[in-house]
Amino acid sequence: MCVDFTDLNKAYPKDSYPLPSIDALVDSAAGCKLLSFLDAFSGYNQIKMHPMDEEKTSFMTEKSCYCYKVMPFGLKNAGAMYQRLMDKVLAPMLGRNVQAYVDDMVVTSLEKNQHIANLEELFVTIAKYKLKLNPEKCIFGMEAGKFLGFLLTERGIEANPDKCAAILAMRSPATVKEVQQLTVQSAGDGFRWVLSVDGSSNQLGSGVGIILEGPNDMLIEQSLKFAFKASNNQAEYEGLIAGVLLAKEMGARVLLAKSDSLLITGQVTGEFQAKDLQMAAYLEYVQELRKSFVSFKVVHVPREQNARADLLAKLASSGKGGKQRTVIQETLKIPRAFVADHQVLQICKSKKGMSRGHKSLSQETLRTPRIRAFPVGEIKMTQVCIVHEPDTWITPYQRYMADGVLPMDPTEAWKVKKNSSKFTLINGELYRFGFTHPLLVCVHGERCTRIMAELHEGICGSHIGGRALATRTIRAGYYWPTMREDCKRYAQRCKQCQEHAD
């Protein structure tokens, strides 16, 4: 059974309780004569939920509703909560003869004759708090063993055979191409081209900063301003795409891209899924661009390590010099990957890009979106035909829940932010939480009229009154803000109802 705690984790504040440093734990456990490795039995399930919080973990089945009495797996703060418990329970032993990381524990002994006493002390301690161990995962009295992915021995920390198995079993390269690939792979710090990008979006505008470092002290800085509204995530993707295109035009074949956006780097590396249609379109474009490189890697860096790109994103230079240096300023008129109504239709037209080498790069105004990757030395300029519908009452909620964008009017922004907790976004569609139904489909425009007509005088209609019609609409699984007033007016204007009343 799997319970989705996504909404609960979003609403619950992050527990900032720190987890122990793995390096420190491994160093402390290394060099001991005897080791015992212990694992808690269903660790999180040994912690009872607070009675007032049990209903927050509730879920529905075909027969009834249930909730957890113990802490389930999947909660955002489960690891921090369990570590806090272990730090309190094992406080007299931690750092002396026991090391613990969440539910993994190791009992250490500098002398062999001390190990039995150390184990007895641990068992008495955990029995006092009724903590249980998993005997199938416990190993006692070992001179060497694995802890948190490291091999601990009396001599210290040694290479883990499991991690070395892939290298030892790898066959020797048989072709020139395989030798080239092996050379590139053996270089995770020898990247010749390093790209740093950052995006910035606020009420005044949006833009990105790009820094490309190459061989021979080459340094290129680019400031890209948007002539369209963009969310923070959209700006981060635009910056990554612009930087990758710049690196490709400069002839880079091995590229390391750095970004302080955990969402963007996680989606590109495959750790996160791109469920939003706009983000999925950007991700697909990046995956096409990476095919132009022999090696392409995207890593996440802390914000403080990306200060220079952040300054460029705010149209300010950090001032770092180089032998060849140029700052490129341009204006981006429309997004490279824009999705409206789940359709991106026509792609056409191409134009030559910037020159390679150490020449100064000319200024450029990008007027059309780029949503595909093309061979090195040529940038394809694309034109997208978009089916655009006017904004409805649903649009502000979709923009806020998908991209965090609020309306410009402060009153409307406060209203959307306040009421957003009543709605959820699933595959780009807006739903409202109901009382008799788990989710109500949010509709607008002519669809509301068709629903009222079907329920009022359709096949199953019985020309009911306005209040009953609104209740029936909710039971059918639909919602819009003015449904009660609309249903009342619709029933009053029905000619058959008027004739029957006469």
Side-chain angles (χ1 to χ4, degrees):
M1 183 185 66
C2 179
V3 181
D4 187 3
F5 290 122
T6 301
D7 293 335
L8 178 61
N9 288 335
K10 287 182 180 178
Y12 200 80
K14 175 67 175 177
D15 189 347
S16 58
Y17 190 83
L19 295 177
S21 171
I22 294 179
D23 293 340
L25 294 181
V26 173
D27 289 340
S28 300
C32 296
K33 293 294 182 73
L34 284 182
L35 303 168
S36 290
F37 302 91
L38 311 177
D39 188 88
F41 183 76
S42 298
Y44 297 166
N45 296 153
Q46 297 193 45
I47 302 179
K48 292 184 178 180
M49 293 288 297
H50 192 283
M52 296 182 61
D53 290 334
E54 289 181 359
E55 63 179 10
K56 297 181 178 66
T57 63
S58 60
F59 57 94
M60 294 187 303
T61 67
E62 296 178 353
K63 295 182 179 180
S64 182
C65 294
Y66 298 90
C67 66
Y68 279 92
K69 292 186 176 181
V70 296
M71 188 169 66
F73 289 78
L75 293 182
K76 177 169 63 176
N77 294 325
M81 181 65 70
Y82 196 86
Q83 185 65 49
R84 182 185 285 108
L85 171 67
M86 298 302 292
D87 289 346
K88 291 182 178 180
V89 172
L90 302 177
M93 305 181 65
L94 286 178
R96 179 168 57 88
N97 52 13
V98 171
Q99 306 295 337
Y101 187 88
V102 193
D103 58 346
D104 290 326
M105 295 171 284
V106 57
V107 180
T108 61
S109 299
L110 295 176
E111 300 296 334
K112 293 183 178 181
N113 55 6
Q114 298 176 349
H115 200 63
I116 298 298
N118 292 338
L119 285 174
E120 183 179 2
E121 183 181 1
L122 175 68
F123 290 154
V124 171
T125 302
I126 62 177
K128 178 182 177 181
Y129 294 94
K130 298 181 180 180
L131 289 179
K132 300 177 181 178
L133 302 177
N134 187 353
E136 296 182 356
K137 294 184 178 180
C138 295
I139 305 176
F140 300 97
M142 302 293 294
E143 295 183 354
K146 299 174 186 175
F147 180 59
L148 301 178
F150 295 87
L151 182 62
L152 305 181
T153 67
E154 183 180 351
R155 296 181 296 274
I157 304 172
E158 298 187 0
N160 192 335
D162 294 339
K163 295 185 177 181
C164 299
I167 299 178
L168 295 175
M170 184 174 60
R171 66 180 181 84
S172 302
T175 63
V176 176
K177 185 176 181 180
E178 290 180 353
V179 174
Q180 293 174 346
Q181 292 176 348
L182 181 62
T183 303
V184 171
Q185 292 174 358
S186 61
D189 298 329
F191 283 89
R192 294 187 61 193
W193 295 83
V194 179
L195 173 67
S196 300
V197 297
D198 193 18
S200 175
S201 179
N202 50 53
Q203 295 182 351
L204 301 178
S206 305
V208 296
I210 302 168
I211 299 174
L212 182 63
E213 300 175 81
N216 300 323
D217 294 332
M218 176 179 289
L219 178 67
I220 301 175
E221 296 180 344
Q222 182 177 11
S223 178
L224 182 61
K225 182 180 180 181
F226 300 157
F228 54 87
K229 293 182 180 179
S231 64
N232 284 324
N233 292 336
Q234 188 178 2
E236 295 286 355
Y237 257 123
E238 289 286 354
L240 178 61
I241 292 174
V244 173
L245 288 172
L246 177 61
K248 187 177 71 171
E249 288 305 307
M250 296 302 299
R253 300 292 291 164
V254 179
L255 179 65
L256 172 65
K258 300 179 179 180
S259 173
D260 58 19
S261 173
L262 185 61
L263 175 68
I264 305 305
T265 56
Q267 290 181 353
V268 174
T269 57
E271 297 180 8
F272 300 158
Q273 291 183 347
K275 295 183 178 180
D276 181 73
L277 291 176
Q278 190 179 59
M279 296 297 102
Y282 276 114
L283 178 59
E284 183 179 359
Y285 186 27
V286 173
Q287 300 295 2
E288 287 293 326
L289 286 175
R290 74 186 309 164
K291 297 178 181 178
S292 302
F293 299 88
V294 175
S295 177
F296 178 85
K297 186 177 181 180
V298 179
V299 296
H300 175 261
V301 294
R303 187 176 298 273
E304 58 270 14
Q305 296 183 15
N306 207 32
R308 291 174 53 223
D310 180 62
L311 290 174
L312 279 179
K314 298 174 181 177
L315 299 181
S317 174
S318 64
K320 180 178 179 180
K323 293 183 179 179
Q324 292 88 20
R325 175 191 176 101
T326 181
V327 177
I328 307 171
Q329 291 187 343
E330 54 180 324
T331 300
L332 194 66
K333 295 295 184 183
I334 56 177
R336 288 187 174 87
F338 184 81
V339 179
D341 295 336
H342 305 217
Q343 292 182 350
V344 177
L345 303 179
Q346 181 99 12
I347 304 174
C348 61
K349 204 170 183 179
S350 63
K351 184 180 179 181
K352 283 287 183 181
M354 300 177 292
S355 58
R356 298 184 186 176
H358 297 167
K359 298 181 180 178
S360 242
L361 302 184
S362 61
Q363 292 185 350
E364 178 188 7
T365 300
L366 189 61
R367 302 184 181 278
T368 52
R370 293 177 283 196
I371 60 175
R372 284 200 223 165
F374 298 92
V376 177
E378 183 179 17
I379 296 180
K380 292 284 185 176
M381 308 297 291
T382 61
Q383 185 174 2
V384 178
C385 292
I386 300 171
V387 179
H388 181 69
E389 292 184 356
D391 292 346
T392 65
W393 73 270
I394 297 178
T395 308
Y397 293 98
Q398 288 177 324
R399 290 175 178 170
Y400 175 65
M401 300 180 74
D403 302 322
V405 179
L406 287 169
M408 299 296 293
D409 183 30
T411 304
E412 290 296 323
W414 176 84
K415 180 180 177 182
V416 171
K417 193 171 183 179
K418 176 184 176 183
N419 295 332
S420 62
S421 60
K422 302 177 183 178
F423 300 90
T424 183
L425 205 62
I426 302 177
N427 295 330
E429 297 293 334
L430 190 68
Y431 293 83
R432 191 182 193 278
F433 296 110
F435 295 98
T436 58
H437 282 70
L439 294 175
L440 302 175
V441 182
C442 296
V443 295
H444 64 88
E446 292 297 326
R447 191 176 179 186
C448 302
T449 306
R450 292 196 300 269
I451 293 172
M452 291 188 293
E454 180 64 28
L455 296 176
H456 185 67
E457 67 262 8
I459 298 177
C460 299
S462 55
H463 291 274
I464 55 180
R467 183 180 298 178
L469 179 59
T471 303
R472 191 171 184 179
T473 303
I474 294 177
R475 287 204 305 265
Y478 298 100
Y479 172 82
W480 66 93
T482 59
M483 60 186 307
R484 298 189 182 278
E485 296 81 2
D486 295 345
C487 289
K488 184 177 180 180
R489 284 195 297 268
Y490 189 90
Q492 291 174 349
R493 294 175 182 175
C494 179
K495 294 182 179 180
Q496 297 184 25
C497 292
Q498 293 175 0
E499 295 175 356
H500 182 71
D502 294 339

